[in-house]
Amino acid sequence: MEPSLIWKTGRAATFLATLLFIFHHIAMLSIEVTFDRDKEKLTAGFVLAKEAFSAIYFASITTTEFVMVSTILKQLKIINSQLGHLALASSLLFKLATFAVGTLFGFINAFTNISFQVGARFAIYSLALIVFTVVVSRKTMLFFIRSTPVGKPMKEIYTTMTVCVLFFLSAIGDEVGLHYGYGPLIFGLAVPARSPLAEVLVAKFDTLVSGFFLPLMAVFCSSKINLFQFIHEFKDAVHLHISFIGYVMKLLVTFIGAYFCKIPFRHAIALTIILNAKGITEIAQFLSFGDITDFDAASGIFLVFLLQAFQPLLIKKLYNPADQYIGHQNKSIEKASDDAELQILACAHRQEDAVAAIKVLQHSNPTKQSPLSVYGLCLEELVSSSTPLLINHQLGQKMSSYKVSRSQPSIDIFKYFKSQYKKFVRVNMFTAVSPLKQMHEDICRLSFDKACSLIILPFHKKWNSRGKMVSSNTDIRNLNITVLERAPCSVGILIDRTRTQGLSSIFLASTYRVAALFFGGPDDREAVAYALRMAGRSGVHLTVMRFITPTTEQVYHDWDYMLNSEFLRILNLGVSENGSIDYVEETVRDGADTSFIIKSMVGGYELIMAGRRHQAEPQALSGLSEWMDLQELGPIGDLLSSEDITSSISVLVVQQQIMKASHSSTLN
C-alpha cells in the first residue's frame, strides 16, 4: 500500500469512507442473533461460538475491503481512472479507521471486562508491536535498500529476513491478542512503496500467492459446497438472509453517498458495486472462523461466489473511462485561436524522451498574444504497490522519501526548460505512477483536465548515436495506440533519431529547418498548422511540401477537399507574408515516387512533420500503405522510422482530435 494516499484524499473520498464506516458499525451494533439453549439443547460454548460467527458473518458481508477494491480495479484495468482513485482512497481510509477503532475497543474491552492488569499488558504489547514495525523494521528495510547499488539485484538474505519478520509479526500479534493480520498490515504500510525491496517481494511471492494459493483455496471451498443442500435448506439460512439484507442496505447507503458527491448516475452505481466488492478476503474470513462443512459457513461462501460472478460484468456495463474524453469540443492546433494560449502535454518515460520533446517545444513560438503552456508528464511504471499515483510537483507533492524517483532526471529537464523560458512560457510538472497497460488513463485525464490541444508521446523505438536501433518496447507501443484511440485532443508521436543526446542538445541552434508533408486530410492540416506556428519564430525555416498525382480528382462537393483548399489558400497567404516559409508541390505517380522524394530530403531538415492518416491522395501512397508495419504511425511515419533511414532527424507524426462518438476505429 501507499500510505501517502491517506493525506491526498479529497473530500469525496473522506465523506464516503466516513459514511460507510458509520453505517457498518451502526449495523453491527443493531443486529444480534441468539440461540435458545434449552430448546435446541446446545452447550454454552457452542452458543458463544455461533453468536461470534454470526457477527463475523454479518461483518464480512457489510464491510469494505481495500484488497478486494484494488483487485477488481486491477482486473477491470481501471485502477488509475478517476473512479478508481476515489474507490481506493475511500476503501483505504475505511480499512485503517476500522482497524484503529477495533484496536481501541479491544483495549477498552480488556480494561473493563477482564482486568486493568490484562488491559495494560495488552495495550503495552500492542503499542510495542506497532513501534517495532514502524520504526525498527522500516529503518532496517531502508538500510537494505541503501546497501543495494542502483541497478543491482537485492541480496537474497535481505528478502529472506523481511519475510521472516512478516511471519514473526503475524504470530506475535496473534499471541498478544490482536488479529493475526494486524502486524502484516502495519508492516505492509512500513515497506517503502516502489522500492527495490518491494519489487523483489512482489516478484517472488505475487505469482505464488495470487496464481496458486488463492485459486487453490477457492477451488477447495467450492468443492465443499453442497448445492442441493443449500437449495433444500435455503429457508432456514438465517445468517444468509440477514446478511443479504444488510448488503442491500449498504449498497443503497453507498449509492446515496456517491450521488450526494455529484458523481454521475451510472458512475455512482459502478462506484457502489466497487466499494462493495466481495471475494477471496471474505472467503478467508469464513474459513478462519467457521467450519467449511457447516451450512452457515458454506452459505456465506456461496453468497460471495454469487456476488463475485456479477460484479465485473455490471461495472463494465456502467463505467468506461474513455466516455468522458469523447471529443465534443474542438481541441486541436488547427482550430486554436491565434490569440489564445496553446496547451501541450509532453510525456516522457525517461530523460531522453524529455530532451526530445523540449527540442520541439522550444521552437513552438510563444508570444504575448499566444503564450505556451507545457505540462511535462513523467511516466513511471507501477510494479510494487497497489495504489497508482498522479503527483503534481507544483503543489509540493513528492515521491516516497527512501530514494530519488526514477522520474527525477526527466523532471530536471522540464525544470531546466522552465528556467530558460520564463517569458510567455508556463511549465508544470507531473509524475504518473501506474501500470503500463492503464497509463493511458493518466495521460488522457490530465490532457482533458488541462484542456490541452496536443499530446506528445515518445516513440517506442530508440536509436544510438550511430543510428542503430538499440531498443523496442511493445508495452510503450500499445500505450501509444490506446492514447490515439481515446485522446480528447490531437496526438503527436515523436520519433527521435538525432545523434546528439543529453542536456547539451537542447540549446538552440542558429537555424532550425522544418519540413511539413501535406497529402490532404485533417491530420496533415494539423501537422502543417503546428509547423506554421513554429515558422513565426526567428531562426525557424519551414518547407511545406504538397504531394499531388497527375490524376488528382477535384471533387468540389467533397467536404474534406473544400477544407484542404481553404487551408492551402490561407497557407499561401502566409507564404507571401513570411519569407521563412517555402511552399513546394511535388507530382508523384505512386508510393515509390513519394518514398524516393522523402528519403532524399531527410538529411536537410532537423524536424519532419506529417499526418498519420491520408485519405485524400491514396494513389500517392499506393504500396506504402499496404506494406505498413506500424499502423499507429501511418505510411509516412512508418517510412521515416524504418531501418532505411539513417539520418539524424526528428519526426513528429500527428493525428488530429477525433470528433466522433466512438474512438474504436481511429487506427483503421
Side-chain angles (χ1 to χ4, degrees):
M1 296 185 190
E2 174 58 68
S4 63
L5 183 69
I6 301 166
W7 316 115
K8 298 172 185 175
T9 54
R11 285 180 294 180
T14 305
F15 173 77
L16 281 172
T18 305
L19 183 67
L20 295 178
F21 179 82
I22 292 172
F23 170 81
H24 174 70
H25 285 81
I26 289 177
M28 288 297 299
L29 294 171
S30 302
I31 189 166
E32 182 180 357
V33 178
T34 59
F35 297 87
D36 191 333
R37 287 178 55 190
D38 297 328
K39 183 179 179 181
E40 299 185 33
K41 298 180 181 180
L42 304 174
T43 64
F46 181 82
V47 169
L48 287 173
K50 290 293 285 185
E51 289 178 353
F53 179 72
S54 301
I56 292 166
Y57 193 122
F58 189 74
S60 299
I61 299 300
T62 58
T63 192
T64 296
E65 286 290 347
F66 174 83
V67 174
M68 288 317 305
V69 170
S70 174
T71 300
I72 197 167
L73 291 173
K74 283 181 180 177
Q75 179 186 346
L76 297 173
K77 298 180 180 179
I78 56 172
I79 192 167
N80 60 333
S81 65
Q82 212 162 4
L83 208 65
H85 278 285
L86 179 57
L88 282 174
S90 303
S91 59
L92 181 56
L93 281 174
F94 175 90
K95 188 65 179 176
L96 294 177
T98 303
F99 259 100
V101 171
T103 305
L104 179 62
F105 275 106
F107 291 160
I108 295 172
N109 182 61
F111 277 109
T112 56
N113 295 338
I114 305 176
S115 70
F116 181 84
Q117 185 180 2
V118 172
R121 192 186 307 134
F122 176 46
I124 291 170
Y125 288 163
S126 301
L127 292 174
L129 181 69
I130 294 171
V131 171
F132 174 81
T133 306
V134 174
V135 179
V136 180
S137 298
R138 183 172 174 84
K139 285 187 178 295
T140 305
M141 288 185 287
L142 289 172
F143 170 76
F144 292 162
I145 294 165
R146 295 188 182 110
S147 300
T148 305
V150 178
K152 298 289 183 180
M154 183 159 284
K155 292 181 180 179
E156 192 72 28
I157 186 65
Y158 293 161
T159 311
T160 305
M161 289 175 64
T162 304
V163 176
C164 289
V165 171
L166 171 70
F167 288 114
F168 170 77
L169 291 172
S170 181
I172 292 297
D174 189 56
E175 187 68 25
V176 301
L178 294 169
H179 187 276
Y180 67 86
Y182 193 92
L185 173 69
I186 303 299
F187 190 65
L189 290 169
V191 175
R194 300 181 302 281
S195 66
L197 179 61
E199 292 177 12
V200 170
L201 290 172
V202 170
K204 281 184 174 292
F205 299 108
D206 188 57
T207 302
L208 179 66
V209 174
S210 302
F212 180 70
F213 284 126
L214 294 184
L216 188 65
M217 186 169 76
V219 170
F220 170 75
C221 292
S222 60
S223 67
K224 297 296 181 180
I225 295 176
N226 189 330
L227 189 60
F228 294 103
Q229 181 195 11
F230 181 80
I231 295 171
H232 180 70
E233 300 182 17
F234 179 77
K235 65 179 183 301
D236 299 323
V238 179
H239 291 89
L240 176 67
H241 297 160
I242 296 173
S243 298
F244 186 74
I245 292 170
Y247 180 76
V248 172
M249 289 174 63
K250 185 163 179 275
L251 286 175
L252 291 172
V253 170
T254 310
F255 173 76
I256 292 169
Y259 201 67
F260 182 79
C261 292
K262 298 182 179 179
I263 297 173
F265 183 79
R266 288 169 64 89
H267 294 181
I269 298 176
L271 180 63
T272 299
I273 299 171
I274 292 169
L275 288 175
N276 291 279
K278 301 300 168 191
I280 208 72
T281 308
E282 287 74 24
I283 292 174
Q285 291 280 354
F286 292 124
L287 279 179
S288 299
F289 298 101
D291 183 0
I292 188 64
T293 59
D294 181 69
F295 175 71
D296 286 324
S299 70
I301 293 172
F302 180 79
L303 177 60
V304 171
F305 280 145
L306 195 63
L307 294 173
Q308 198 175 21
F310 293 101
Q311 288 162 0
L313 296 174
L314 290 172
I315 296 168
K316 277 185 177 180
K317 290 286 185 182
L318 292 166
Y319 181 65
N320 181 10
D323 290 344
Q324 61 184 312
Y325 307 134
I326 293 172
H328 295 300
Q329 290 185 338
N330 278 311
K331 296 305 299 180
S332 62
I333 296 177
E334 182 192 3
K335 304 297 182 182
S337 174
D338 294 335
D339 57 354
E341 184 179 42
L342 178 62
Q343 316 221 47
I344 297 177
L345 176 65
C347 302
H349 295 278
R350 51 188 182 178
Q351 185 180 18
E352 293 85 350
D353 300 332
V355 171
I358 294 304
K359 285 191 285 190
V360 173
L361 292 170
Q362 66 183 347
H363 294 95
S364 296
N365 189 31
T367 62
K368 185 177 181 180
Q369 291 74 28
S370 180
L372 178 66
S373 183
V374 175
Y375 298 94
L377 180 60
C378 304
L379 303 171
E380 186 173 322
E381 185 178 7
L382 179 71
V383 292
S384 58
S385 175
S386 296
T387 47
L389 299 172
L390 181 61
I391 299 165
N392 186 344
H393 295 285
Q394 283 64 243
L395 300 179
Q397 296 177 354
K398 297 180 181 179
M399 310 287 282
S400 298
S401 58
Y402 71 91
K403 67 169 189 174
V404 177
S405 164
R406 282 172 285 185
S407 299
Q408 192 60 44
S410 300
I411 295 170
D412 292 339
I413 294 295
F414 286 115
K415 283 183 177 178
Y416 170 79
F417 179 61
K418 183 178 183 178
S419 66
Q420 294 297 308
Y421 298 91
K422 294 181 180 179
K423 194 176 183 181
F424 311 139
V425 177
R426 182 164 56 92
V427 182
N428 297 289
M429 288 150 289
F430 297 82
T431 297
V433 184
S434 57
L436 265 175
K437 292 182 179 180
Q438 290 122 61
M439 204 172 275
H440 60 272
E441 182 65 29
D442 292 310
I443 298 171
C444 293
R445 186 170 75 250
L446 187 59
S447 64
F448 181 79
D449 291 342
K450 302 302 179 183
C452 294
S453 297
L454 178 67
I455 299 171
I456 296 179
L457 299 171
F459 189 49
H460 69 276
K461 292 182 180 180
K462 301 296 175 189
W463 291 264
N464 61 16
S465 58
R466 297 186 298 275
K468 182 180 178 181
M469 190 181 75
V470 292
S471 67
S472 178
N473 192 315
T474 304
D475 290 331
I476 294 178
R477 183 192 177 193
N478 293 333
L479 170 65
N480 292 347
I481 291 172
T482 309
V483 174
L484 285 168
E485 291 175 341
R486 303 187 180 192
C489 61
S490 299
V491 181
I493 296 179
L494 181 58
I495 307 169
D496 182 32
R497 307 189 68 161
T498 54
R499 304 288 170 82
T500 54
Q501 303 291 333
L503 195 63
S504 60
S505 64
I506 297 178
F507 296 109
L508 280 172
S510 57
T511 306
Y512 191 72
R513 295 162 298 177
V514 181
L517 311 181
F518 187 87
F519 295 84
D523 293 354
D524 282 344
R525 294 197 299 270
E526 185 74 0
V528 175
Y530 189 22
L532 287 172
R533 181 184 175 95
M534 289 183 172
R537 185 183 182 91
S538 175
V540 176
H541 188 278
L542 171 64
T543 300
V544 179
M545 185 174 292
R546 185 190 180 196
F547 292 83
I548 57 176
T549 58
T551 58
T552 298
E553 292 187 21
Q554 297 185 357
V555 186
Y556 292 97
H557 63 271
D558 181 80
W559 177 248
D560 203 46
Y561 175 83
M562 289 188 283
L563 289 175
N564 291 335
S565 300
E566 178 62 17
F567 183 82
L568 291 172
R569 185 187 68 80
I570 297 172
L571 170 64
N572 286 317
L573 289 175
V575 170
S576 61
E577 296 173 0
N578 191 336
S580 63
I581 304 176
D582 292 331
Y583 176 73
V584 180
E585 287 190 354
E586 293 284 353
T587 302
V588 294
R589 293 168 299 177
D590 51 27
D593 289 352
T594 302
S595 174
F596 177 79
I597 293 172
I598 292 175
K599 287 180 180 179
S600 64
M601 64 181 284
V602 292
Y605 298 92
E606 280 73 42
L607 175 66
I608 294 181
M609 304 176 70
R612 190 179 76 81
R613 300 161 301 171
H614 310 277
Q615 294 92 0
E617 291 287 356
Q619 186 180 343
L621 298 170
S622 60
L624 294 178
S625 301
E626 288 79 3
W627 294 97
M628 259 193 306
D629 290 327
L630 304 171
Q631 295 286 337
E632 70 272 20
L633 294 182
I636 303 303
D638 184 75
L639 172 66
L640 291 169
S641 68
S642 65
E643 295 181 3
D644 298 337
I645 305 295
T646 58
S647 301
S648 175
I649 193 171
S650 294
V651 180
L652 186 64
V653 180
V654 181
Q655 172 186 282
Q656 194 176 67
Q657 177 195 18
I658 308 297
M659 295 293 295
K660 56 183 179 181
S662 174
H663 286 206
S664 59
S665 60
T666 58
L667 293 182
N668 295 333

